Amino acid sequence: MSTNGDVDVKVVPVRHVGQWIGVAFLALFVAMLIHTLFSKIPSGSRTCHLVGGRYQCHAILKWRFGWNVIFHYFTNGEVLRGLVITLELTVLAMVIGIVLGVVVAIMRLSRSRLLSGAAWTYTWLFRGTPVYVQLLLWGFIGFLYPTFAIGIPFTHIYLFHFGANTVFIPFNAAVAGLGLNEGAYFSEIVRSGLIAVDEGQTEAATSLGMTRGQSLRYVVLPQAMRVIIPPTGNEVISMLKTTSLVSVVAVVDLLGAVANIYGQTYQIMPMLLLASMWYLIVSTILSVGQFYLERYFSRGALRTPPPTPIQRIRRDLHGIASKYRTKRGVQVGA
Amino acid sequence: MTVNEPMVEAIGVHKSYAGVEVLKGVNLTVSRGEVTCLIGPSGSGKSTLLRCINHLEKHDAGELRVDGELVGYEARGDKLYELNDRRICHERSQIGMVFQRFNLFQNLNVLENVTVGPIKVKDVNDERAKKFARELLQRVGLEGKEKNYPTQLSGGQQQRVAIARALAMEPKLMLFDEPTSALDPELVGEVLDVMKDLARSGMTMIVVTHEMGFAKEVADTVYFLDQGVIEESGDPKVVLTSPSSPRLQSFLSKVL
């Protein structure tokens, strides 16, 4: 490196000895972990062979992690049906949660006492009780209200009515429970997003003659999205996993399907690992989606949006390539 | 409504925030095609008066008329009826406002900033709104910046977009709330030039400003506000060079 442009001074970078020791320990630990992942342990049964007139017995080994079981059941019909139920629950509950959340957040910030009071009460009720209990309550709502009807209050004149058990079948009860609970949390996320937008933006929209609704729709909400999207990604991933509670209302989701199988085969650990893998795969896909959504909504807020992973890889490769070319004395660029 | 009727007329306008009286009976008249500058120390109520004129704030007492119509109310018989939101929005859409901190819509690019008002509020079709917006951007010297987002522009450029955004609504009155106070000194000129050009075109303007040079050069009338009342007003060449009130004398000695 040259300092003043005339004399070349050699610069010795700081040596990070501690870092190298840390890396060595970490590498050792990872190696041990990988070893256990692919190690075999005695299965508990023995096998015996007749060798030279005598029986020789030895223990049968099996994969510690039950890879063969995982592999066997990975795309099992029952497991996949459960996965579909899990995805359906996640999507439906999130749609209900997001719609409710946006409506409730806007109500909460409304000038009307009635609307903001109603919104506050909803959030208080559904955020203040465990989702597990709420699921059970929706599942057994028939005990409280055996029938639902629309008609003239306090009379027996009905337009139509139906039994609770025909509507709140397990799947619907699960969607209602998860969705209503999510709405309460989501409304707080939306509210924080709306509050985070500079008041000047609303003022400018108002001064153009926009109504409150227009300024919300064209100016405030799009900007609030930048604050809302990252926690929404969290919420979707969290919902994906929370759906595993629905077995309490007798819905067979991914975990339920896996439990049904290990109830018969007693392969508990491999089946749970299998379920975990599916949850991980789906949440990974969701994270990727979240990255691109965030990037989209950062338009205007950042001078240069962050590169996508593909752009980053391409840039790195390009960097390496050009370095290689300069080393070999080839001129780069013009 | 006659041509001679003033564009803005304030008679005894009062406004308080949480018990603090910011405007204590302000009288002001702005004729059509005139440029009026409001000057005064911070906290004197200049901005509040401006915000009352387009009903961003509701005045508590007094009469405030824009183009002959009461702001925020309708007189029927001997009663005043508060206007509903839709009517207030319509009133506002005819008054342009430029803010100290620009307040460009961060989620929209320059062209969208200028077209969103006409398209969404006045139901102008997209093509016409875009064509007009391009004309306005050219007028404020920002052609070629249509696709940029506000954060990619300098303060002076942002404020010029903000002026174009307000003009896109074809307002009959333009309000400027310290339009150059948040700008680097070297960028003030480009914004003032656009405003001078606008004044020459015959736009009625009310400008809250600390730029005494601009007031002297462009304004037809200057109002000096202090502690919620108009202390002195008149021709800027008289008011700003030989002020009669001691308050304005001391204010000018600090500003100039």
Side-chain angles (χ1 to χ4, degrees):
Chain A
M1 183 184 278
S2 117
T3 45
N4 287 330
D6 18 53
V7 191
D8 269 354
V9 181
K10 196 162 190 257
V11 177
V12 183
V14 179
R15 310 274 188 219
H16 299 280
V17 181
Q19 224 171 55
W20 284 110
I21 296 171
V23 167
F25 270 104
L26 192 68
L28 189 68
F29 181 72
V30 169
M32 285 163 69
L33 197 71
I34 290 173
H35 176 251
T36 64
L37 273 179
F38 297 104
S39 63
K40 286 189 165 184
I41 52 173
S43 66
S45 48
R46 295 161 69 83
T47 178
C48 300
H49 302 281
L50 194 62
V51 181
R54 291 188 57 187
Y55 278 105
Q56 277 189 353
C57 296
H58 56 89
I60 296 175
L61 295 181
K62 62 168 188 181
W63 291 105
R64 184 193 294 272
F65 277 70
W67 292 114
N68 52 327
V69 181
I70 293 175
F71 189 76
H72 182 253
Y73 284 103
F74 202 71
T75 52
N76 173 280
E78 205 174 336
V79 169
L80 290 185
R81 270 192 296 280
L83 178 66
V84 169
I85 294 285
T86 291
L87 294 176
E88 281 174 359
L89 283 171
T90 307
V91 170
L92 287 173
M94 276 319 288
V95 167
I96 291 175
I98 288 171
V99 171
L100 258 177
V102 171
V103 171
V104 170
I106 291 169
M107 279 168 68
R108 184 83 189 274
L109 296 172
S110 155
R111 283 173 298 184
S112 150
R113 286 273 182 85
L114 177 73
L115 292 181
S116 70
W120 182 88
T121 311
Y122 164 76
T123 312
W124 170 74
L125 203 61
F126 284 88
R127 212 175 46 160
T129 51
V131 63
Y132 192 85
V133 177
Q134 285 174 34
L135 277 171
L136 285 167
L137 283 172
W138 287 110
F140 299 117
I141 193 82
F143 289 119
L144 278 179
Y145 300 105
T147 56
F148 290 88
I150 292 178
I152 299 164
F154 306 111
T155 67
H156 292 288
I157 303 164
Y158 301 126
L159 275 176
F160 64 93
H161 69 121
F162 46 80
N165 295 334
T166 58
V167 177
F168 287 97
I169 55 169
F171 184 82
N172 292 354
V175 169
L178 294 171
L180 285 166
N181 183 263
E182 181 57 32
Y185 282 95
F186 204 79
S187 75
E188 289 296 290
I189 292 174
V190 175
R191 193 168 70 94
S192 64
L194 293 176
I195 292 170
V197 177
D198 181 33
E199 211 184 343
Q201 298 286 312
T202 317
E203 269 184 7
T206 309
S207 78
L208 282 179
M210 286 192 190
T211 60
R212 280 171 67 85
Q214 284 175 323
S215 107
L216 203 61
R217 179 161 160 216
Y218 301 118
V219 176
V220 180
L221 257 181
Q223 292 183 56
M225 288 307 266
R226 216 170 84 74
V227 180
I228 294 172
I229 290 292
T232 303
N234 269 347
E235 289 298 305
V236 177
I237 290 168
S238 165
M239 178 59 78
L240 173 75
K241 295 171 299 175
T242 309
T243 55
S244 62
L245 294 178
V246 296
S247 58
V248 294
V249 284
V251 177
V252 183
D253 67 327
L254 176 58
L255 184 65
V258 163
N260 283 348
I261 294 171
Y262 70 61
Q264 292 161 14
T265 63
Y266 301 107
Q267 297 282 5
I268 299 176
M269 290 306 270
M271 292 312 285
L272 288 177
L273 286 171
L274 186 159
S276 305
M277 284 170 159
W278 270 120
Y279 282 119
L280 257 178
I281 288 169
V282 177
S283 59
T284 305
I285 294 169
L286 289 173
S287 309
V288 173
Q290 182 187 359
F291 174 84
Y292 282 95
L293 259 182
E294 271 177 40
R295 194 167 177 278
Y296 176 79
F297 279 103
S298 71
R299 273 175 322 157
L302 304 173
R303 279 162 195 251
T304 44
T308 64
I310 294 166
Q311 285 172 342
R312 190 174 298 159
I313 289 167
R314 200 177 286 164
R315 202 182 53 192
D316 289 351
L317 286 178
H318 191 78
I320 292 166
S322 62
K323 210 183 266 175
Y324 181 68
R325 259 175 285 161
T326 41
K327 260 190 189 159
R328 293 184 49 190
V330 182
Q331 283 267 324
V332 190
Chain B
M1 212 187 296
T2 65
V3 182
N4 293 328
E5 197 177 36
M7 180 60 85
V8 179
E9 192 170 25
I11 304 165
V13 169
H14 285 258
K15 170 73 190 172
S16 309
Y17 291 108
V20 180
E21 204 168 23
V22 186
L23 296 177
K24 303 169 185 167
V26 170
N27 300 319
L28 163 136
T29 310
V30 178
S31 304
R32 281 159 206 279
E34 268 201 351
V35 176
T36 302
C37 283
L38 302 179
I39 59 170
S42 55
S44 59
K46 310 176 300 276
S47 292
T48 306
L49 179 59
L50 209 62
R51 295 161 65 87
C52 284
I53 291 172
N54 75 347
H55 212 268
L56 274 182
E57 307 283 351
K58 208 157 134 185
H59 57 287
D60 304 326
E63 205 179 304
L64 189 53
R65 288 176 184 277
V66 173
D67 204 11
E69 306 260 359
L70 284 172
V71 173
Y73 297 93
E74 187 178 30
R76 266 184 282 160
D78 56 350
K79 286 199 180 114
L80 286 184
Y81 293 87
E82 253 185 70
L83 293 183
N84 61 24
D85 284 353
R86 189 163 288 279
R87 296 276 300 276
I88 290 173
C89 286
H90 181 70
E91 282 193 342
R92 277 199 200 105
S93 70
Q94 302 172 330
I95 304 173
M97 183 144 184
V98 174
F99 299 87
Q100 181 177 350
R101 296 190 51 244
F102 331 130
N103 295 350
L104 289 183
F105 303 133
Q106 304 291 316
N107 56 316
L108 304 178
N109 67 29
V110 167
L111 192 68
E112 290 163 343
N113 260 282
V114 183
T115 55
V116 69
I119 292 172
K120 302 301 179 194
V121 177
K122 289 175 71 181
D123 283 330
V124 176
N125 79 44
D126 280 33
E127 283 314 306
R128 268 190 56 201
K130 277 183 192 162
K131 189 166 170 282
F132 188 40
R134 289 208 177 87
E135 282 170 31
L136 288 169
L137 287 172
Q138 191 170 21
R139 187 167 159 195
V140 299
L142 285 172
E143 60 270 68
K145 295 280 183 193
E146 285 90 349
K147 295 274 172 251
N148 286 74
Y149 281 91
T151 46
Q152 297 166 323
L153 302 178
S154 73
Q157 290 172 329
Q158 288 192 52
Q159 194 60 300
R160 285 185 282 151
V161 175
I163 294 173
R165 174 176 69 177
L167 290 176
M169 296 296 288
E170 300 180 273
K172 54 190 177 189
L173 167 68
M174 284 283 284
L175 309 175
F176 293 84
D177 190 0
E178 301 198 24
T180 57
S181 297
L183 296 176
D184 291 342
E186 58 189 327
L187 301 178
V188 168
E190 62 189 56
V191 172
L192 291 182
D193 285 343
V194 168
M195 290 169 64
K196 283 175 197 165
D197 173 60
L198 195 57
R200 274 195 294 273
S201 75
M203 175 63 74
T204 312
M205 295 161 63
I206 304 179
V207 185
V208 171
T209 188
H210 291 295
E211 297 289 333
M212 296 306 150
F214 175 82
K216 215 178 275 183
E217 187 189 332
V218 183
D220 298 291
T221 317
V222 164
Y223 285 84
F224 172 62
L225 260 103
D226 189 42
Q227 295 176 3
V229 291
I230 305 274
E231 277 277 326
E232 197 168 339
S233 64
D235 187 331
K237 286 170 191 75
V238 180
V239 174
L240 297 177
T241 44
S242 47
S244 54
S245 85
R247 286 288 306 144
L248 180 52
Q249 284 166 8
S250 87
F251 174 73
L252 288 176
S253 70
K254 281 175 203 153
V255 181
L256 293 176

